[in-house]
Amino acid sequence: TVASWEMYQMVYETLLTTDDELNLQAGLAESWEEESPTRFVFTLREGAAFSNGRAVDAQDVIGSIERIRNPEIASYWAHQLGEIESMEALDDRRVAIELARPHATFLPALAHITAAIIPLQEYQAGEFDPTSEMLGSGPFMVEAHDQDESWTLVRNPHYGRDGYPRADRMNVAIIPDESARMAALRDG
């Protein structure tokens, strides 16, 4: 749901993002080059790190995209990425992606939270399960979660963008009933 996506955007990052007019902007990738209609090279932001302190690297990007494309995961977002011919870590911060053919939605698909970059090492080691916990490189990290009640997010001390997040903590109440949400807003 859209509410879930908004929560994910507080904890995770994508290679690209969009501005208010839906123009592509830098995200985890501080820059990208379209070397041909099918070849793209992304350079990760210097200092990008997951909330556990480990630097985000090219293997995290490749593994996250491979996970989306994995038929066992059955991500509906795989189609949006198009047919990827190959992915290669050029070094720790640069990833080259070659498409089988031009695909108009490839770059915009990388800007959607469904294409969030997860910590591949921790995932492969069984130390992180994205179906039950959140470990990202976004501005916040999870401090507490009360099922069907609330989320408490705190500043990610490893977030690499100066001045962000602007708040140290965020409490998000889960209120599924619309009239109860309206009453909560009226009551402050």
Side-chain angles (χ1 to χ4, degrees), residues 33-41 97-99 102:
E33 294 176 56
E34 186 173 343
E35 293 183 344
S36 76
T38 59
R39 183 176 167 84
F40 302 84
V41 175
I97 300 176
E98 181 77 37
L99 302 178

Side-chain angles (χ1 to χ4, degrees), residues 71-127:
E72 292 176 20
I73 301 293
S75 173
Y76 71 94
W77 207 247
H79 178 71
Q80 297 299 321
L81 296 173
E83 188 179 341
I84 295 176
E85 181 96 3
S86 65
M87 292 186 281
E88 175 188 7
L90 302 176
D91 56 40
D92 285 346
R93 290 186 47 225
R94 292 184 315 132
V95 177
I97 300 176
E98 181 77 37
L99 302 178
R101 63 191 55 78
H103 191 74
T105 64
F106 175 67
L107 289 175
L110 293 175
H112 192 276
I113 196 60
T114 308
I117 304 306
I118 66 169
L120 184 67
Q121 290 175 20
E122 292 80 349
Y123 174 67
Q124 289 179 331
E127 300 166 359

